Amino acid sequence: MSMITEPPVTTGPSRSTAEQSTAGVRGQQRSGAGEVVRAYVSLTKPRIVELLLVTTIPTMMLAADGLPSLWLMAVVLVGGALAAGGASALNCYIDRDIDQLMRRTKRRPLPTHVVAPRSALIFGLVLAGVSVALMAAFTNWLATILTIASIAYYDLVYTLWLKRTTAQNTFWGGICGAAPVLIGWAAVTGSLSPAAWALFALVFFWQLPHFYALAIKYKVDYARAGIPMLPVVASVRRVNLEIVAYTWLTVFASLVAWPLGLSPIYGVTAVVAGAVFLVEAHRLARRSARGEAIKPMRLFHWANTYLTILFAVIALDALI
């Protein structure tokens, strides 16, 4: 007599367990998609886009002597943001070899392999192409040419050549950093007046102490990557001298802009904010020359505040 036993019944996971498992997979997919989206956004270097917004809107308001067309403002801001974002994405593609060597940049999407180099290249080209198309369709030839020139200069001249070959890379790179001022003015007026060039000079010279402070902070990073930033290849005295000199030129440019359509409200603000900027630049130079502990990021952050204050007052001035 044999005893036959039935195989045990397998009921499988409970409904709640299965739902939890499915939810977990979906959560991972959403997290992965979110990471990729954030990576593409970071390729555009949003901080650079912020600089564009801070300087372009007030410049357009001054050029229009009030509020320009909201449609024109939207086109220039979107087109400018896409141009800056596209140029930055192409910069990340070109610099992927050195970004992985620097502590400040090694977490960018290409060094961490979140975005493939070819994808970054296509992304940058598409953004740049759309920006130029927008400017060509809705602004004028001068603003469009300036947009194309800015993208080309930043990626082909600065990133591919100047950044890796000369200690004056920050100086020459400042041209594309200050270009949004000219683009905004040209979009409103179709020309470039002395006031536009004065604001261009203000932003151009401002970038030197601003980025030299950052380069001091990340001097070891730049040296490791073989980038000849001034603090890497020049003496402390030389760096201090240039920081102070370009801060003075920044303040001078801000005062040159005063009689070119701006009121005493702007003038007083430029004098006071400029005095603080100069104090910070001289303090950093003095401490550095003495071999004392320095905080270069203090000057870096104040430079941001200085520029924001000045262009906010330019916008206010244009309104009143």
Side-chain angles (χ1 to χ4, degrees):
M1 180 177 173
S2 63
M3 189 169 65
I4 302 175
T5 59
E6 296 180 355
V9 177
T10 56
T11 59
S14 66
R15 180 180 178 82
S16 61
T17 303
E19 288 174 348
Q20 290 174 1
S21 176
T22 302
V25 171
R26 288 175 179 170
Q28 290 176 350
Q29 291 173 342
R30 284 196 299 269
S31 175
E35 182 183 8
V36 172
V37 169
R38 287 191 295 273
Y40 275 99
V41 170
S42 72
L43 283 175
T44 66
K45 299 183 182 178
R47 288 292 179 87
I48 294 178
V49 176
E50 287 177 17
L51 173 62
L52 178 147
L53 297 176
V54 165
T55 59
T56 304
I57 294 176
T59 299
M60 294 180 71
M61 293 173 67
L62 184 62
D65 197 21
L67 272 178
S69 159
L70 295 180
W71 168 250
L72 181 62
M73 287 179 66
V75 168
V76 173
L77 289 180
V78 172
L82 290 174
S88 295
L90 294 173
N91 169 270
C92 288
Y93 170 79
I94 296 167
D95 277 352
R96 63 191 185 279
D97 59 330
I98 59 176
D99 280 351
Q100 64 187 344
L101 302 176
M102 298 175 61
R103 184 169 53 112
R104 185 173 67 89
T105 58
K106 67 180 181 180
R107 295 175 185 250
R108 285 178 178 173
L110 292 179
T112 56
H113 307 292
V114 177
V115 176
R118 183 172 181 273
S119 299
L121 174 62
I122 293 171
F123 179 64
L125 291 173
V126 169
L127 291 187
V130 172
S131 74
V132 171
L134 276 175
M135 299 298 285
F138 299 109
T139 62
N140 54 61
W141 68 269
L142 181 57
T144 303
I145 288 174
L146 288 170
T147 300
I148 295 171
S150 298
I151 296 170
Y153 185 91
Y154 181 65
D155 289 315
L156 301 180
V157 178
Y158 170 73
T159 303
L160 272 176
W161 175 35
L162 297 173
K163 182 177 181 179
R164 300 174 184 237
T165 59
T166 174
Q168 294 303 312
N169 50 22
T170 306
F171 178 89
W172 295 109
I175 293 173
C176 41
V181 169
L182 299 182
I183 294 169
W185 194 283
V188 173
T189 67
S191 62
L192 296 174
S193 72
W197 287 109
L199 295 180
F200 172 86
L202 165 61
V203 179
F204 175 82
F205 288 125
W206 166 85
Q207 291 175 95
L208 276 300
H210 178 252
F211 285 113
Y212 281 160
L214 187 69
I216 291 171
K217 169 74 172 178
Y218 293 102
K219 176 180 176 179
V220 174
D221 260 5
Y222 285 115
R224 184 184 300 116
I227 302 300
M229 297 295 286
L230 190 68
V232 174
V233 300
S235 66
V236 171
R237 183 177 180 278
R238 168 73 180 280
V239 177
N240 291 342
L241 179 63
E242 292 209 15
I243 286 175
V244 170
Y246 286 122
T247 303
W248 275 100
L249 286 171
T250 301
V251 175
F252 176 74
S254 74
L255 296 178
V256 168
W258 182 1
L260 299 176
L262 291 159
S263 76
I265 296 174
Y266 167 83
V268 171
T269 304
V271 169
V272 174
V276 178
F277 196 9
L278 286 167
V279 167
E280 290 296 330
H282 279 276
R283 176 184 287 128
L284 175 65
R286 188 167 54 251
R287 287 179 177 271
S288 181
R290 291 174 180 172
E292 300 175 2
I294 61 171
K295 297 179 180 179
M297 297 306 286
R298 173 171 169 156
L299 178 63
F300 176 86
H301 292 305
W302 169 249
N304 285 333
T305 303
Y306 166 83
L307 198 71
T308 302
I309 290 172
L310 235 56
F311 275 88
V313 173
I314 289 172
L316 177 63
D317 208 322
L319 290 176
I320 63 177

